[in-house]
Amino acid sequence: MAPDVSTTPRRGTTGLRQFLDLEQQRNWIEGRIDLCDADERSESLELRFKYVTRFQKLLRRPQAQDVLEILRLYGQNCIPIPRKSERHYWSVSCLPSTSDKPLVRVNASWMELFTIYADGEGIRARFLVHLSDFTTDHSPAQSHVDEPFLQHCVTAPEDVSYFFPRGADMFGINVRSSASIRRFLAARRILGAIRTFNLTHMNRGRNAYQASHCYSLADCMLAG
């Protein structure tokens, strides 16, 4: 049975700690429990209509089907209580007007979590995670990245690369092709690392990117 999620925020706490205690969060990260989410979503009609045109433009892109399917996987597996936390603690933007020209981006607090880009007719994804979850000794040492593990989690070794963003214990992973992204998201250790990073930032407080939330994309993420 899925554990109950508190509907009344706990006083003196921030982020998702208002709704999920540390044991629930830890068990969810490790895949031991499914969290009971809200039945209904809080919605802003103004925002829903604001990004409809961008969403329709995305649907005309050759990558649209892959983008929506990958987003659905990410939303269902990588974001805790996504309906209850929608917009206030995470958001998804559609064709955001940033210099790197992404198709979609998921944010929490002040942090990018996940981005999908066009890669020719296909797609590539960028994941931000904790470096210490991807080193051979679980240290934040850049020289200790577990490259064989990363290559094992995609369909072809050349589909994965990585970089080191600014900040302590930060790690960026690029994955090319829909097939490799799916395989990457299916790896248990990968999923735990993504969940850990996402909770780190969702626990820091309200999402700074609420005004960029695209409800049409979120509909796809939360379907099913």
Side-chain angles (χ1 to χ4, degrees):
M1 179 181 295
D4 290 336
V5 175
S6 173
T7 57
T8 303
R10 299 181 177 96
R11 297 181 64 182
T13 56
T14 60
L16 294 195
R17 285 184 291 261
Q18 298 176 85
F19 312 109
L20 302 171
D21 62 36
L22 292 180
E23 182 179 2
Q24 287 175 307
Q25 294 189 25
R26 183 166 51 250
N27 285 336
W28 178 74
I29 287 171
E30 296 173 356
R32 296 179 181 176
I33 61 172
D34 293 321
L35 298 173
C36 183
D37 201 359
D39 293 327
E40 298 182 358
R41 297 158 59 192
S42 174
E43 186 167 331
S44 163
L45 289 178
E46 178 184 1
L47 279 182
R48 175 168 287 282
F49 290 115
K50 182 176 181 180
Y51 295 109
V52 166
T53 301
R54 287 195 190 186
F55 180 69
Q56 292 173 341
K57 183 178 180 181
L58 175 67
L59 292 181
R60 293 193 291 270
R61 300 289 294 263
Q63 304 89 355
Q65 190 62 37
D66 281 340
V67 168
L68 297 183
E69 290 177 0
I70 296 297
L71 267 184
R72 185 176 298 113
L73 285 175
Y74 191 90
Q76 292 175 349
N77 294 292
C78 301
I79 299 177
I81 51 172
R83 289 174 176 80
K84 188 173 186 62
S85 58
E86 182 181 4
R87 188 164 64 90
H88 299 294
Y89 295 97
W90 68 272
S91 60
V92 58
S93 52
C94 184
L95 300 174
S97 53
T98 53
S99 59
D100 55 338
K101 298 182 179 180
L103 298 176
V104 299
R105 174 167 286 145
V106 180
N107 291 91
S109 185
W110 291 93
M111 179 61 64
E112 169 193 339
L113 303 180
F114 176 61
T115 304
I116 300 178
Y117 299 91
D119 187 34
E121 295 290 300
I123 59 173
R124 60 184 172 89
R126 180 167 73 189
F127 299 84
L128 291 185
V129 287
H130 293 300
L131 173 59
S132 55
D133 284 325
F134 290 89
T135 53
T136 54
D137 57 357
H138 300 290
S139 74
Q142 295 183 0
S143 59
H144 293 180
V145 172
D146 192 346
E147 292 185 357
F149 168 70
L150 287 174
Q151 293 172 355
H152 178 72
C153 293
V154 292
T155 58
E158 61 270 21
D159 284 348
V160 66
S161 61
Y162 59 85
F163 62 99
F164 302 104
R166 292 182 181 179
D169 201 21
M170 289 288 295
F171 191 47
I173 305 173
N174 298 310
V175 182
R176 294 182 58 199
S177 88
S178 175
S180 280
I181 296 168
R182 291 171 186 275
R183 179 166 177 170
F184 192 78
L185 284 169
R188 182 175 179 179
R189 178 177 161 190
I190 296 289
L191 184 58
I194 293 171
R195 289 179 171 186
T196 298
F197 186 84
N198 290 359
L199 269 172
T200 294
H201 293 280
M202 293 176 76
N203 278 330
R204 289 186 172 172
R206 292 273 177 149
N207 176 32
Y209 298 90
Q210 295 183 40
S212 299
H213 187 55
C214 176
Y215 278 97
S216 298
L217 276 178
D219 292 344
C220 299
M221 293 177 71
L222 302 178

